[in-house]
């Protein structure tokens, strides 16, 4: 017999062994198996913050999970991109008996770390191996946040796969799970080993350059080694297009052959506070006994909606450009989240009226122009333009940092962000920050640092697909994940990859 018990509360300083004791007492039988289903923090009463659990107990071992059905004589499949969408698609394809080829323009994670460190410290950019491109995609250098707004049933499958390959056990039940960039490094290596042992293979340093078709069906894809320049053609029946949101050159190539649509997106800055101040605002004096606090804020006070995104407790702001002559920021934190500062993207929703939709890539050019302005304002060499909040609000250039020191490793330059960002973005931020401060005291800290710019929130284009997830213009070609316009974040991208794999399996299982 399996029984579930919800709303079990234990104090923040108490051991989870007490949880087990309470659950066993409620169960009233001999316990053969026990697992935590959900764990969340209730901090509504700062004088009595508690962990809240749902658990399952059984007097016999829990049944094993069913194994995916394997296909006979699977066709050749290429997965273009090794971010969460591409990797999890490949993992599910392997479970179904396929042997996918993973095409990745960047490098394996070990070499990619070297490329990014060289950029962070020496400002030498590799346009194919950076924070945006390489094994693991943009999520490799982030917080590894696995919470999502979507309710896809495959989200839980994605979390279980993260656990299988080395993420902490808690990612399958914690209300706001995260892995951390340091742990993701090993997860990616474990996934690669599994793929290769099971017949799949990787082609790193390999750019997807085109395809051929027979009638309306995919026949082959063309690739080029970015180091040697050697070109080759791979005959495949299916190709999963999991590019990520920053593959601008590949989007341009695809637009000549298949149907894409422009998309609206958001852009903004990174805002940086002292981690302890955010934790105190969220938890009060108990913050020292708890993990670094996160937050999620939305403001409708101004002309445009403003929202926080990719919040990194105890993290750093990182240089994230993938094109020369542009500044792009992102946030990153390790599993421990024990850095001095916390940061978040502070995003303003853009509309077609801001950049035009007279052609497919108007939004992409708009993003690139904002990145170029940031590069110039920063003084070149990928230094980021920054402004203290108090000076941003007063329209003056900052001249010194206060209690918050910047973490952006490529260096910063005091500059007026109003000369970098669109006017509607500046005005919306000025209205939103004090509005957000009403819900999170200290958010409008005078010394909070605004670092420009955050432009890679989502893809500026969408590759259209049908109800079977195939490209409407090319059978056998499967747009997938964030870059194709079908997800936003690690978990939803991984789930979309699983969805594509299931669709490919259904197509071929009876062949």
């Amino acid at each position: 017999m399996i029984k579930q018990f919800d709303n079990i509360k234990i104090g923040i300083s108490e051991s989870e062994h007490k949880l087990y004791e309470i659950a066993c007492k409620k169960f009233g039988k001999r316990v053969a198996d026990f697992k935590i289903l959900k764990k969340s923090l209730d901090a509504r009463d700062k004088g009595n913050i508690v962990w809240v659990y749902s658990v399952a107990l059984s007097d016999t071992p829990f049944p094993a999970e069913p194994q995916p059905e394997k296909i006979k004589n699977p066709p050749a499949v290429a997965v273009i991109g090794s971010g969460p969408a591409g990797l999890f698609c490949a993992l599910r394809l392997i479970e179904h008996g396929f042997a996918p080829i993973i095409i990745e323009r960047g490098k394996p994670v070990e070499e990619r770390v070297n490329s990014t460190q060289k950029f962070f410290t020496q400002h030498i950019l590799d346009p194919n191996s950076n924070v945006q491109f390489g094994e693991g995609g943009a999520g490799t250098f982030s917080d590894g946040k696995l919470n999502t707004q979507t309710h896809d049933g495959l989200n839980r499958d994605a979390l279980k796969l993260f656990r299988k390959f080395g993420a902490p056990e808690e990612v399958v039940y914690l209300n706001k799970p995260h892995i951390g960039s340091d742990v993701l490094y090993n997860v990616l290596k474990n996934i690669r080993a599994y793929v290769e042992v099971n017949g799949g293979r990787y082609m790193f340093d390999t750019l997807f350059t085109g395809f051929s078709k027979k009638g309306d069906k995919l026949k082959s894809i063309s690739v080029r080694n970015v180091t040697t320049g050697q070109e080759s053609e791979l005959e495949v029946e299916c190709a999963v297009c999991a590019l990520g949101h920053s593959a601008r050159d590949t989007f341009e190539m695809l637009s000549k052959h298949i149907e894409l649509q422009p998309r609206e997106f958001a852009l903004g800055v990174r805002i940086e506070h002292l981690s302890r101040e955010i934790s105190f605002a969220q938890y009060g004096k108990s913050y020292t006994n708890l993990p670094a606090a996160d937050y999620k804020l939305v403001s409708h006070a101004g002309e445009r909606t403003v929202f926080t995104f990719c919040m990194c407790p105890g993290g750093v702001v990182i240089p994230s450009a993938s094109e020369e002559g542009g500044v792009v920021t992102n946030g990153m934190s390790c599993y421990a989240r024990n850095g001095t500062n916390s940061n978040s993207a502070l995003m303003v929703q853009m509309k077609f009226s801001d950049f035009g939709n007279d052609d497919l890539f108007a939004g992409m050019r708009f993003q690139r122009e904002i990145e170029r302005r940031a590069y110039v304002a920063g003084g070149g060499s990928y230094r980021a333009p920054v402004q203290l909040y108090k000076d941003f609000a007063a329209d003056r250039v900052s001249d010194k940092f206060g209690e918050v020191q910047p973490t952006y490793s490529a260096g910063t330059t005091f500059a007026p962000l109003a000369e970098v960002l669109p006017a509607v973005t500046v005005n919306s931020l000025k209205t939103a920050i004090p509005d957000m401060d009403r819900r999170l005291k200290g958010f409008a800290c005078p010394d909070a640092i605004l670092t420009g710019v955050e432009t890679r929130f989502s893809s500026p284009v969408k590759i259209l697909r049908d109800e079977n997830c195939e490209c409407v213009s090319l059978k056998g070609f499967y747009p997938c994940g964030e870059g194709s316009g079908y997800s936003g974040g690690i978990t939803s991208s991984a789930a979309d990859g699983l969805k594509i794999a299931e669709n490919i399996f259904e197509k071929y299982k009876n062949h």
Side-chain angles (χ1 to χ4, degrees):
M1 179 180 69
I2 300 175
K3 291 195 70 173
Q4 179 174 328
F5 298 99
D6 301 319
N7 203 37
I8 299 177
K9 300 178 180 180
I10 65 172
I12 56 176
S13 60
E14 294 180 297
S15 166
E16 282 191 347
H17 184 70
K18 183 174 180 180
L19 168 70
Y20 180 74
E21 291 177 345
I22 294 171
C24 289
K25 187 175 181 180
K26 287 178 175 287
F27 190 54
K29 293 176 177 281
R30 181 186 62 84
V31 176
D33 225 336
F34 167 86
K35 62 182 174 182
I36 298 172
L37 302 176
K38 187 176 180 181
K39 176 183 178 181
S40 60
L41 189 67
D42 184 349
R44 289 173 294 180
D45 179 357
K46 291 182 173 60
N48 184 33
I49 300 176
V50 293
W51 290 107
V52 183
Y53 294 83
S54 292
V55 300
L57 298 91
S58 177
D59 54 3
T60 59
F62 293 130
E65 295 189 9
Q67 295 301 306
E69 180 183 350
K70 290 192 178 291
I71 197 171
K72 296 179 181 178
N73 303 315
V77 179
V79 176
I80 303 163
S82 69
L87 287 181
F88 279 63
C89 183
L91 290 175
R92 183 53 56 89
L93 287 171
I94 286 171
E95 290 177 345
H96 282 306
F98 293 80
I101 304 167
I102 301 174
I103 311 297
E104 172 54 59
R105 71 189 295 170
K107 295 184 180 297
V109 67
E110 303 94 327
E111 298 176 51
R112 188 183 178 198
V113 167
N114 294 332
S115 300
T116 55
Q117 286 301 317
K118 195 171 185 179
F119 179 51
F120 292 173
T121 58
Q122 301 177 44
H123 309 169
I124 300 172
L125 175 66
D126 182 337
N128 290 302
S129 184
N130 46 60
V131 168
Q132 308 296 344
F133 301 137
E135 187 175 16
T140 300
F141 299 97
S142 70
D143 184 67
K145 284 172 288 297
L146 302 182
N147 51 301
T148 176
Q149 297 292 319
T150 69
H151 300 285
D152 193 317
L154 291 169
N155 287 344
R156 186 160 181 81
D157 283 8
L159 297 178
K160 289 178 180 178
L161 282 170
F162 274 115
R163 177 184 63 185
K164 175 180 178 179
F165 291 104
E169 174 73 21
E170 66 191 20
V171 300
V172 299
Y173 60 77
L174 195 60
N175 184 42
K176 296 179 180 178
H178 76 284
I179 300 178
S181 291
D182 49 341
V183 178
L184 269 170
Y185 177 90
N186 290 319
V187 170
L188 290 169
K189 292 200 296 181
N190 293 339
I191 289 175
R192 192 197 321 154
Y194 174 86
V195 168
E196 293 175 340
V197 163
N198 286 277
R201 65 186 175 104
Y202 288 73
M203 294 179 67
F204 290 109
D205 296 312
T206 302
L207 180 66
F208 167 52
T209 57
F211 60 85
S212 67
K213 60 182 181 177
K214 185 176 182 180
D216 64 347
K217 295 182 180 179
L218 180 70
K219 181 182 177 183
S220 67
I221 64 169
S222 302
V223 298
R224 182 178 72 247
N225 186 286
V226 299
T227 302
T228 66
Q230 181 178 350
E231 298 183 358
S232 55
E233 188 174 1
L234 304 174
E235 290 193 7
V236 294
E237 285 193 39
C238 299
V240 179
C241 184
L243 298 173
H245 53 44
S246 294
R248 292 168 171 171
D249 51 355
T250 309
F251 291 138
E252 291 175 326
M253 178 274 291
L254 286 173
S255 70
K256 299 173 184 177
H257 308 286
I258 63 176
E259 188 173 355
L260 284 73
Q261 282 185 347
R263 296 179 72 214
E264 295 180 334
F265 50 86
L267 63 81
V269 296
R270 281 270 153 184
I271 185 166
E272 207 164 5
H273 302 86
L274 290 176
S275 179
R276 69 170 185 266
E277 296 300 328
I278 296 297
S279 291
F280 180 79
Q282 293 287 58
Y283 304 143
K285 295 179 181 179
S286 299
Y287 82 89
T288 55
N289 297 317
L290 288 164
D294 65 357
Y295 56 77
K296 181 181 177 183
L297 300 169
V298 179
S299 173
H300 303 287
E303 179 183 351
R304 296 287 175 83
T305 297
V306 180
F307 58 94
T308 62
F309 174 76
C310 187
M311 194 270 157
C312 297
V316 296
V317 179
I318 60 171
S320 304
S322 59
E323 296 178 339
E324 293 183 355
V327 164
V328 181
T329 65
N330 198 2
M332 183 180 83
S333 53
C334 293
Y335 176 72
R337 290 177 162 178
N338 57 0
T340 300
N341 290 1
S342 289
N343 72 82
S344 175
L346 189 57
M347 309 300 290
V348 180
Q349 187 63 49
M350 296 287 102
K351 298 182 178 181
F352 286 130
S353 58
D354 298 315
F355 54 85
N357 61 342
D358 52 321
D359 71 79
L360 178 63
F361 295 115
M364 192 171 78
R365 289 195 300 273
F366 181 75
Q367 289 176 331
R368 187 178 279 144
E369 171 61 19
I370 300 301
E371 294 164 12
R372 187 198 66 80
R373 289 186 204 169
Y375 184 85
V376 172
S381 195
Y382 303 99
R383 297 173 67 88
V386 298
Q387 210 167 0
L388 273 61
Y389 167 65
K390 63 184 177 184
D391 299 319
F392 175 76
D395 293 319
R396 61 175 178 251
V397 179
S398 302
D399 58 6
K400 64 179 180 179
F401 293 109
E403 62 177 2
V404 186
Q405 296 294 308
T407 58
Y408 182 87
S409 59
T412 60
T413 300
F414 289 125
L417 292 173
E419 295 182 6
V420 176
L421 298 166
V424 68
T425 304
V426 173
N427 294 335
S428 297
L429 291 174
K430 286 182 177 180
T431 303
I433 293 174
D435 182 51
M436 291 175 171
D437 187 77
R438 297 184 183 99
R439 292 181 291 284
L440 181 63
K441 193 63 179 174
F443 191 77
C445 169
D447 288 343
I449 300 172
L450 304 182
T451 306
V453 289
E454 176 100 12
T455 54
R456 307 291 179 90
F457 169 71
S458 61
S459 173
V461 297
K462 183 175 186 175
I463 306 175
L464 300 186
R465 70 188 191 192
D466 62 20
E467 66 276 7
N468 297 315
C469 296
E470 286 184 285
C471 175
V472 298
S473 313
L474 182 64
K475 297 300 179 185
F477 194 72
Y478 291 84
C480 179
E482 196 166 335
S484 296
Y486 293 95
S487 63
I490 293 175
T491 302
S492 62
S493 294
D496 197 54
L498 296 175
K499 180 179 180 179
I500 296 293
E502 294 295 353
N503 275 272
I504 294 173
F505 167 72
E506 288 295 327
K507 180 176 180 178
Y508 289 100
K509 71 177 182 179
N510 295 321
H511 283 211

